[in-house]
Amino acid sequence: MTLPLSPGAAKALVLLRGAGYEAWIVGGCVRDALLGLAPKDYDLATSALPEQTKAVFAGRPVVETGLRHGTVTVLLEGEPLEITTYRVDGAYSDARHPDEVTFTRSLREDAARRDFTINAMAYAPGAGLQDFFGGREDLAQGLIRAVGTAERRFREDALRILRALRFAAVLDFTLEGETDRAARACAPLLAGVSAERVSGELSKLLCGKAAGRVLREYPDVLGVVLPEILPMVGLDHRNAYHCYDVWTHTAVAVDHVPPELPLRLAMLLHDIGKPDTFSLGEDGQGHFYGHPRRSVELAEKILTRLRFPRRTRERVLTLVRYHDAVLEETPQRVRRWLNKLGPEAFFDLLAIQWGDASAQAPAYCTRLDHVRRLETMARQELAQAPCLTVRDLAVGGEDLLARGYRGPAVGEALRALLDQVLAGALPNEKTPLLQWLARRDAEKREKTELPKAPPRP
């Protein structure tokens, strides 16, 4: 068996083995290579002690990234490589890092401390694949299986529970029986995991090709870090527009938008305000009046709590706010939405409305054709290089200053001109714009100069 190696990883293996030490690529890079995927990075394990590793790479950039745990980072062929000494982990009192590590000469003992079998394989050219726990078979069967006792693995570091769900979503795998039971039983431990670590795994999970299925199967686990989703589970819409409960609708909708984090987050959170806004009409139909506003409030709390970057929060909240907006199929209204949101956010909104409609009852999926037409119309408008902002106007602030406008009146006049152009009432040409402004101002003066009616006797 031959697996592809990066130039840096190949050279590092040659140098370590040439110095008399064992050395292997390990973990995710082996998993990805076996799946036919291009590894994002390469990690190495070696029998060399940290100081011996540093000596092998003397004269090259070496960073002591985790010397206490046996890890150094070497820059080789322009590539950062984490190289870790074989080790056995002690207790995890902080539920994240081992309190102490013991270096070992055994690759098997090193592999036994890893989280899942598919991440516990090692490979080196000429030596082949080392697979002590059946990782290759689990890859073939599409299983996520903990190394050793699943509960022990999860109690060592509860984030591994979310990692299991993330791998299931990204690879479209399922959790093996014991691993599944342990993940659910140990889920309360996720409450002690830092926000940054949770958001990192959640982001990768949401962008996985099987994200919707994992969301549907594990709301009990995800609800520990996102308790706001729990009231959605099993909540019947009680109206003809929907064939799923609120949580299932959300999960299906997630799968129907592109795997971009802001879009997937917006889809996850777009209906999170429904449980708080449910009402039953006299016709027996369920209603959720004001749910976009409530969804924005809850989404903002969640995104802030999980410490997502400000730009991501703002983009997601905009999409949640307008996900249910009525978008009229006229050039004027499309131009106004392009002005309001900007082209990128407007097309994001169309993607969100597409995902939302795709998760409704089949009889009411006519919105999909509506979204297609809106996208076509928007692209046609943009192809004509339309005037969408005051910066695009053929008239600028200098033109108005030359005509006596001062202070706030300049901005007000520009906005008034833009409103006329967006409505299609005026072409974006300097002469018609200035003429219209002159007429408007003349009419204003006439109204203010009209004589007042005499007082009644």
Side-chain angles (χ1 to χ4, degrees), residues 10-76:
K11 188 168 186 176
L13 290 175
V14 169
L15 291 174
L16 284 165
R17 286 177 168 255
Y21 304 108
E22 293 182 14
W24 309 79
I25 62 166
V26 294
C29 58
V30 180
R31 177 198 69 229
D32 290 346
L34 287 171
L35 288 170
L37 305 173
K40 297 181 177 64
D41 49 42
Y42 287 82
D43 294 332
L44 283 74
T46 180
S47 60
L49 296 173
E51 293 300 327
Q52 293 171 328
T53 299
K54 289 167 62 178
V56 169
F57 296 99
R60 295 178 172 87
V62 176
V63 181
E64 298 177 357
T65 45
L67 205 58
R68 177 169 168 257
H69 295 107
T71 302
V72 297
T73 297
V74 177
L75 187 64
L76 208 59

Side-chain angles (χ1 to χ4, degrees), residues 92-323:
Y92 285 69
S93 60
D94 68 351
R96 179 175 183 180
H97 300 108
D99 297 339
E100 60 181 6
V101 301
T102 303
F103 298 134
T104 177
R105 292 288 181 178
S106 169
L107 175 63
R108 183 188 179 96
E109 288 184 339
D110 182 77
R113 70 182 175 82
R114 299 185 183 273
D115 52 6
F116 307 112
T117 61
I118 62 173
N119 297 332
M121 294 178 284
Y123 170 81
L129 184 72
Q130 290 291 333
D131 179 14
F132 303 106
F133 306 104
R136 192 175 186 187
E137 183 178 350
D138 285 340
L139 275 183
Q141 295 184 9
L143 288 177
I144 306 297
R145 184 193 306 270
V147 172
T149 304
E151 184 171 340
R152 177 181 176 183
R153 291 283 88 88
F154 293 147
R155 290 192 177 279
E156 287 172 344
D157 184 355
L159 187 71
R160 288 172 173 166
I161 300 169
L162 284 185
R163 280 173 59 81
L165 301 192
R166 185 250 287 190
F167 286 125
V170 171
L171 300 175
D172 197 7
F173 282 16
T174 57
L175 270 64
E176 169 272 335
E178 182 193 347
T179 305
D180 178 277
R181 288 188 291 274
R184 296 180 192 276
C186 296
L189 297 174
L190 286 168
V193 178
S194 70
E196 293 87 351
R197 299 181 80 208
V198 168
S199 61
E201 290 298 330
L202 181 63
S203 298
K204 295 171 185 175
L205 185 164
L206 284 174
C207 291
K209 57 186 173 184
R213 175 179 60 79
V214 171
L215 292 176
R216 291 196 302 275
E217 293 178 0
Y218 293 96
D220 53 334
V221 175
L222 295 168
V224 176
V225 294
L226 294 172
E228 295 87 350
I229 70 173
L230 295 176
M232 302 165 70
V233 180
L235 178 61
D236 192 340
H237 278 94
R238 303 281 294 273
N239 64 51
Y241 294 97
H242 288 276
C243 56
Y244 304 116
D245 66 72
V246 176
W247 179 243
T248 305
H249 161 78
T250 296
V252 172
V254 165
D255 275 343
H256 281 86
V257 296
E260 300 170 18
L261 182 59
L263 298 181
R264 291 283 173 102
L265 278 170
M267 212 75 267
L268 175 71
L269 302 172
H270 79 287
D271 278 351
I272 202 165
K274 278 189 171 178
D276 291 344
T277 57
F278 174 75
S279 65
L280 203 59
E282 294 181 0
D283 57 358
Q285 294 287 298
H287 300 284
F288 301 90
Y289 299 120
H291 83 269
R293 182 174 62 253
R294 179 57 179 155
S295 293
V296 167
E297 294 170 354
L298 292 173
E300 185 168 18
K301 290 179 181 178
I302 291 167
L303 296 172
T304 301
R305 183 177 74 234
L306 294 182
R307 300 185 183 178
F308 280 95
R310 179 181 59 81
R311 287 190 63 184
T312 300
R313 294 199 308 267
E314 291 175 352
R315 188 174 171 190
V316 171
L317 294 176
T318 295
L319 297 174
V320 173
R321 180 175 293 111
Y322 296 117
H323 81 269

Side-chain angles (χ1 to χ4, degrees), residues 369-427:
D369 291 332
H370 170 64
V371 173
R372 283 196 193 97
R373 291 191 296 269
L374 283 168
E375 181 176 359
T376 299
M377 187 173 291
R379 296 199 184 283
Q380 289 173 343
E381 288 296 316
L382 290 173
Q384 300 171 27
C387 175
L388 296 177
T389 70
V390 292
R391 293 188 300 274
D392 301 326
L393 284 168
V395 170
E398 291 182 0
D399 298 304
L400 299 186
L401 289 171
R403 284 161 175 77
Y405 288 84
R406 294 293 183 270
V410 174
E412 184 278 330
L414 291 173
R415 287 190 296 273
L417 291 173
L418 178 61
D419 191 62
Q420 292 296 309
V421 172
L422 290 172
L426 286 174

Side-chain angles (χ1 to χ4, degrees), residues 76-93:
L76 208 59
E77 302 292 327
E79 176 185 1
L81 301 166
E82 281 198 358
I83 304 176
T84 303
T85 302
Y86 298 161
R87 75 187 199 207
V88 176
D89 292 345
Y92 285 69
S93 60

